[in-house]
Amino acid sequence: MARLMAGGLGLSFRQLLEACKGSKFLDLELRDGILGGFALTPIGRMLRNNLKEEFRRGEPGMAVYEGSSGISLEKNLRFVQDTFATDLPFGITVEELFEDRTVSLYENYGFHLEGGSLLSCSYFVNPTMSMEFMYKAQRQRKIWWMRFACDPGRYFISDLRQDAESKVQSVAIKARFAGEEVALEQLELIPGSVMREEMGDFQVKIGKSSRKITPNVLRVRQCVELATLEVILDAFENSGTSSVRIHRKLAPYKCGIICLSEADPSQLEELRDLAKHLSNVLRKANITVLDCSSQNGSSERSLNKQLRHLDSIAVPYSLLLQEQSLQNGLFQLRSRDTTISETIHISDLPDYLLKIITS
């Protein structure tokens, strides 16, 4: 398996980008001081959408509501307050679309996007607990990135900065690639007094008393396209082009289905019918499936070719249906990361696959 390992082989950040450019996830143009021409393939867009969904989930035990970018923060707050019985802290996520913007990739290098989206989650917290909340949140965001990474050790939290006038405090979640530090997310703790223009006269009752306070706001921001690029960079620096190890929760397709018949062509047709049935079962369970049965042949060479294709687009699991599967209902479930297969029964689907994907 081809491995890039930028740190070990001394690859530059530009060489790492060149490797990603030749992938099945994106296209880009490398110029002096700027990364442009960024375009995600359909598989890359699926990865981006999975990232967005994971961001929106927030942290376990925290109430997070979906906001609208078409209305003000004040109106989003009013809607949440009127619709849900919520106490501090709680969060509101908003996705904002933008056009023709350049964001910083790393020092002295820009990332130009013709169009993209900015995800933000604003957490409303009691001012007396806001610093503790920020320290906890920045650790959780770092762990969030580490959870999905091939190399968890690349992520770190920048030094805390405070604006002397507004008292806004900020940190960034960063990652090291080929000797460069890339900023992935920004966290800002904003005093309620600074947020009055956005929040209006929004206040929250504290406990059972009638006293109301203006909450502080911890805002987490992420450029989705930059986050998607980072996930691909992490996978390519640590795995390579032949087997792209994107985390199973983020992988565009969770499972691929391959049929292999070495004898009777009519049995191959039956296997393809079984593959279609399994695809429908898994899709009903919200598991994205790539049915490769129509492209399959009967040779071992054909099987290896299709497994390499699934590995190259980061599919974490493959189902191999063979002639005996029609008689006994057994098939092989192959792991991309270990290349080890285990035998499971058709009755175990989709529960078993859901369990290992979500674990």
Side-chain angles (χ1 to χ4, degrees):
M1 179 176 64
R3 296 180 65 85
L4 298 178
M5 296 303 293
L9 296 181
L11 292 180
S12 68
F13 191 83
R14 185 182 181 90
Q15 288 171 312
L16 184 56
L17 288 170
E18 288 282 5
C20 295
K21 178 181 178 180
S23 75
K24 297 177 181 178
F25 295 88
L26 56 83
D27 194 15
L28 50 83
E29 297 174 2
L30 298 172
R31 315 178 193 119
D32 291 337
I34 195 77
L35 170 63
F38 183 82
L40 292 170
T41 66
I43 291 175
R45 290 196 293 271
M46 293 173 70
L47 170 61
R48 178 194 61 190
N49 292 340
N50 289 346
L51 260 171
K52 286 162 61 173
E53 288 304 311
E54 289 296 330
F55 181 91
R56 287 189 173 108
R57 291 184 202 279
E59 297 298 331
M62 173 70 65
V64 177
Y65 306 97
E66 185 75 20
S68 172
S69 61
I71 60 177
S72 66
L73 177 61
E74 182 182 4
K75 290 182 179 179
N76 275 312
L77 280 168
R78 294 299 178 195
F79 175 81
V80 170
Q81 192 176 48
D82 294 343
T83 308
F84 307 100
T86 184
D87 296 318
L88 298 178
F90 67 90
I92 298 178
T93 62
V94 173
E95 180 180 4
E96 300 176 17
L97 302 180
F98 61 80
E99 295 181 356
D100 193 23
R101 179 181 296 185
T102 299
V103 299
S104 175
L105 188 57
Y106 62 89
E107 188 177 0
N108 300 323
Y109 210 96
F111 181 24
H112 182 261
L113 293 163
E114 294 183 0
S117 57
L118 185 69
L119 277 176
S120 66
C121 186
S122 298
Y123 294 99
F124 301 88
V125 297
N126 190 319
T128 60
M129 302 173 59
S130 58
M131 280 304 302
E132 178 185 351
F133 187 89
M134 183 179 188
Y135 289 136
K136 181 179 178 181
Q138 66 189 35
R139 290 196 302 270
Q140 288 174 330
R141 294 310 300 168
K142 177 188 172 185
I143 293 170
W144 186 90
W145 282 100
M146 295 172 66
R147 187 185 307 145
F148 298 124
C150 295
D151 180 7
R154 72 169 76 251
Y155 301 94
F156 66 99
I157 302 169
S158 71
D159 293 335
L160 180 70
R161 295 182 178 182
Q162 178 171 304
D163 183 84
E165 184 176 344
S166 66
K167 305 302 181 184
V168 173
Q169 300 181 70
S170 62
V171 297
I173 309 298
K174 293 186 173 184
R176 295 183 179 92
F177 292 100
E180 303 293 349
E181 297 181 357
V182 179
L184 308 173
E185 279 185 359
Q186 290 74 41
L187 288 78
E188 291 182 313
L189 180 59
I190 311 171
S193 57
V194 177
M195 291 293 297
R196 284 192 187 280
E197 185 174 343
E198 291 188 54
M199 294 194 301
D201 59 354
F202 178 79
Q203 290 188 317
V204 180
K205 284 185 179 181
I206 297 299
K208 297 180 180 180
S209 69
S210 58
R211 188 170 71 91
K212 292 184 177 181
I213 63 164
T214 300
N216 287 352
V217 178
L218 177 67
R219 184 165 286 167
V220 182
R221 290 186 175 181
Q222 175 191 110
C223 174
V224 182
E225 285 67 30
L226 176 58
T228 305
L229 175 62
E230 183 281 330
V231 170
I232 298 171
L233 287 171
D234 174 69
F236 272 77
E237 188 176 22
N238 288 274
S239 55
T241 56
S242 60
S243 180
V244 182
R245 296 190 177 185
I246 291 174
H247 193 279
R248 58 189 177 275
K249 288 186 178 181
L250 300 180
Y253 291 102
K254 312 302 182 190
C255 180
I257 300 181
I258 298 174
C259 296
L260 184 64
S261 177
E262 299 178 354
D264 189 351
S266 64
Q267 287 198 319
L268 181 58
E269 288 303 314
E270 291 186 49
L271 284 172
R272 287 171 175 166
D273 290 339
L274 177 59
K276 290 182 175 61
H277 169 68
L278 291 177
S279 295
N280 290 332
V281 169
L282 294 175
R283 286 167 183 158
K284 286 180 180 178
N286 293 320
I287 298 175
T288 50
V289 183
L290 185 59
D291 183 359
C292 304
S293 60
S294 62
Q295 305 171 20
N296 294 345
S298 59
S299 67
E300 192 71 20
R301 181 179 179 182
S302 174
L303 171 62
N304 290 334
K305 180 180 178 181
Q306 290 175 84
L307 287 174
R308 286 195 301 270
H309 171 66
L310 292 174
D311 288 349
S312 72
I313 57 175
V315 180
Y317 299 102
S318 303
L319 293 176
L320 176 58
L321 310 182
Q322 297 175 290
E323 293 166 349
Q324 56 265 36
S325 303
L326 297 170
Q327 283 74 48
N328 56 24
L330 297 174
F331 47 84
Q332 298 296 306
L333 178 64
R334 174 188 180 268
S335 166
R336 172 202 66 203
D337 296 341
T338 66
T339 69
I340 295 174
S341 299
E342 59 179 314
T343 302
I344 65 172
H345 193 267
I346 189 172
S347 61
D348 293 327
L349 289 178
D351 295 342
Y352 181 72
L353 199 53
L354 270 173
K355 181 180 179 180
I356 59 178
I357 288 172
T358 57
S359 64

